[in-house]
Amino acid sequence: MTTTVTRPMPGFDDLDRDWLRARRSVKWHRPGPRVLPAWVADMDFPVSAAVTAALRDAVDRRDLGYPDWPDGSPLRTAFARRMADRYGWAAPADRVREQTDLIQCLQLVLHLATSPGDAVAVQTPNYPPFLATLATMGRRTVPVPMHDTDAGWHMDLAALDATVAREHCKVLVLVNPHNPTGRVLTRGELEEIAAIARRHDLLVISDEIHAELTYAPHRHIPFAGLSPDAASRTVTLTSATKAFNLAAIRCAITHYGPDRLLALRDAQPPDLYGTVSPLGVVATLAAWNDGDAWQRELLTVLDRNRRRVHEVLHAQLPRVRHHLPEATYLAWIDTRLLGLDEPPVERVLRAGDVLLDGGSPFGPDADGFLRLNFATSHAVLEDILTGLTKALGQTPS
């Protein structure tokens, strides 16, 4: 079998497993010392030196007082500049508001824009906390299934059009790049979705947190940047946390396109939904201003790793379906043809000592699927794949 050529990447492939297991964050801490974790969407890599230096500087200066942000945090202009530089989207900085994470962003927008019983269309499979949010808030979830084709994962836009009309949807939650399939929608697909949104007067909540983890030749296109109409009906959710491995800083961005929704948000008591930590702002600014070189190296590692996962699955588990992800560091794996007598997450944990995610929390028809996080070193990934293939059938060579 031809294998991916591996050139060790300092800072990414020299991870110390004792260091990983000593971390208090959930990915490595919860499974215990025997299990290799590849479940929750955290990366194993140390954060960039730029972020570490910026946080250390703030602490060393004892600069932990109230921030002086009379017109909002500096994230607002930094976000607008990054969108313009990366994607050519002129996102007005004065329409940016800060929150602690994307789940809170989604919940706040749904709270302001919808009522219990309102129908919300969402791609399935999907990020479990988003689906759980809709259920907890009493919104009527309208699944828009992604379809597995020989060419990859496909979003049936004719079905989307018919579904939102039939179910009288008020909102479309659009995850692009898509978690968990790794699909990146093309400009043509996005323009068709924008036409559907216009035709049915949908609010589009666009989760774009994985945008900076897109692999060439695919290209992320911000939904709100498609046209003035798209901009006027889109709320964009994003954060530096996913592409720079900063989940614990609790810092995210909501960009409001609709005037009425922004006015509703700003009419709320200013601290009702919490305020972002100044250290989260420091880390985000350092990532966006000084972390691009680190991120380029990261993408080289992730590109290598996604290809290795695909290579092993194709060669060693031919009855398992998998498409090379176009973005993210997540592999979505269909084990249904194996006819397992237990959920695959449980099988891989029991027989392979590897903890993956997957199954029904990702939505209807997700039983039999696994989600594997490949954002780790070459050596750790090889052991994860050994455990996976041992549990599901064979051992990688």
Side-chain angles (χ1 to χ4, degrees), residues 2 27 34-36 39 43 53 91 101 110 125 150 163 177 218 245 264 277 298 319 329 333 353 370:
T2 302
K27 183 183 179 184
R34 184 176 56 86
V35 172
L36 282 176
W39 60 301
M43 295 188 273
D101 67 14
L110 289 172
D150 289 342
T163 298
H218 307 285
N245 203 28
L264 279 173
S277 163
L298 167 71
R319 296 177 67 202
Y329 48 77
I333 303 166
D353 291 329
L370 294 167

Side-chain angles (χ1 to χ4, degrees), residues 178-311:
H178 186 245
N179 174 8
T181 69
R183 179 71 211 288
V184 178
L185 296 172
T186 65
R187 179 176 292 276
E189 289 171 314
L190 293 170
E191 288 175 343
E192 191 169 345
I193 294 169
I196 293 168
R198 182 173 62 253
R199 187 154 54 245
H200 301 289
D201 195 25
L202 293 172
L203 171 68
V204 178
I205 303 175
S206 186
D207 166 14
E208 302 183 10
I209 196 172
H210 289 96
E212 296 189 11
L213 298 175
T214 299
Y215 306 105
H218 307 285
R219 189 169 186 273
H220 174 71
I221 299 167
F223 191 82
L226 291 172
S227 68
D229 182 81
S232 72
R233 66 175 65 255
T234 301
V235 177
T236 302
L237 314 180
T238 195
S239 171
T241 55
K242 197 61 63 182
F244 288 93
N245 203 28
L246 302 172
I249 67 168
R250 315 301 287 170
C251 186
I253 290 292
T254 307
H255 183 275
Y256 289 84
D259 292 335
R260 177 178 172 276
L261 200 51
L262 180 58
L264 279 173
R265 194 270 184 213
D266 287 348
Q268 305 296 302
D271 296 332
L272 178 61
Y273 304 104
T275 57
V276 69
S277 163
L279 290 179
V281 173
V282 165
T284 300
L285 291 175
W288 283 349
N289 293 336
D290 301 306
D292 285 349
W294 178 89
Q295 192 187 74
R296 285 191 293 272
E297 292 186 343
L298 167 71
L299 284 168
T300 299
V301 172
L302 296 181
D303 182 36
R304 177 202 70 193
N305 286 2
R306 72 177 177 129
R307 295 177 186 279
R308 177 57 177 161
V309 172
H310 188 65
E311 175 183 67

Side-chain angles (χ1 to χ4, degrees), residues 106 109-110 113-115 118-122 134 139-140 142 144 160 164 168-174 200-206:
L106 174 68
V109 174
L110 289 172
T114 65
S115 301
D118 284 345
V120 178
V122 60
L134 296 177
R139 275 50 174 180
R140 185 160 55 89
V142 178
V144 179
L160 171 66
V164 299
H168 305 289
C169 294
K170 292 189 67 173
V171 175
L172 169 64
V173 176
L174 182 67
H200 301 289
D201 195 25
L202 293 172
L203 171 68
V204 178
I205 303 175
S206 186

